[in-house]
Amino acid sequence: MSFRGGKARAYTPAKTAHAEAAIRYLLAANGAQMYPRDIPLSVRMTFWLVRPQSAPRRRIWPVTKPDNDNLQKLVSDAAESYLWEADQQIVRIFAEKRYCPDGVAPHILLEVEPL
């Protein structure tokens, strides 16, 4: 958040805006179904991240940045108006970060279930 002329202004970094746009594109391209505002939702997010060369192969859980809550917020904000009308509809959430297996590209698995 920045202040200009005594007023607070929200600022989305270019990298974040680009990531949100990519998520929205994929949602639209895959025929995302919009859930109306009055439907509570259960959401599961799995973030598959690139394993650094320095991480042992036996390690499957990244304890590095990006933070899990920041990844959740990115997807939640990007999916608003594509999967749900407002992120207040999410009443249950499960999210995890994992390292990709060898030969698998980084990706996000997003599962949404109406309750």
Side-chain angles (χ1 to χ4, degrees), residues 3-94:
F3 291 92
R4 180 177 252 178
K7 296 182 180 181
R9 303 177 113 195
Y11 170 74
T12 302
K15 190 174 180 181
T16 302
H18 177 71
E20 286 180 0
I23 292 168
R24 287 185 188 113
Y25 172 80
L26 291 170
L27 290 171
N30 288 295
Q33 175 188 345
M34 171 73 88
Y35 292 97
R37 183 179 294 271
D38 61 338
I39 295 179
L41 301 172
S42 174
V43 177
R44 180 183 185 100
M45 300 177 192
T46 306
F47 301 97
W48 294 92
L49 307 177
V50 173
R51 179 189 312 277
Q53 293 284 335
S54 60
R57 292 281 169 225
R58 67 183 179 280
R59 182 176 292 163
I60 59 170
W61 305 107
V63 291
T64 59
K65 290 189 176 192
D67 298 344
N68 196 328
D69 60 333
N70 291 339
L71 293 169
Q72 291 175 46
K73 181 75 173 142
L74 172 74
V75 171
S76 178
D77 288 349
E80 194 161 342
S81 299
Y82 285 80
L83 284 176
W84 43 76
E85 290 185 32
D87 54 9
Q88 300 122 330
Q89 290 174 251
I90 301 171
V91 297
R92 181 171 51 199
I93 189 165
F94 178 82

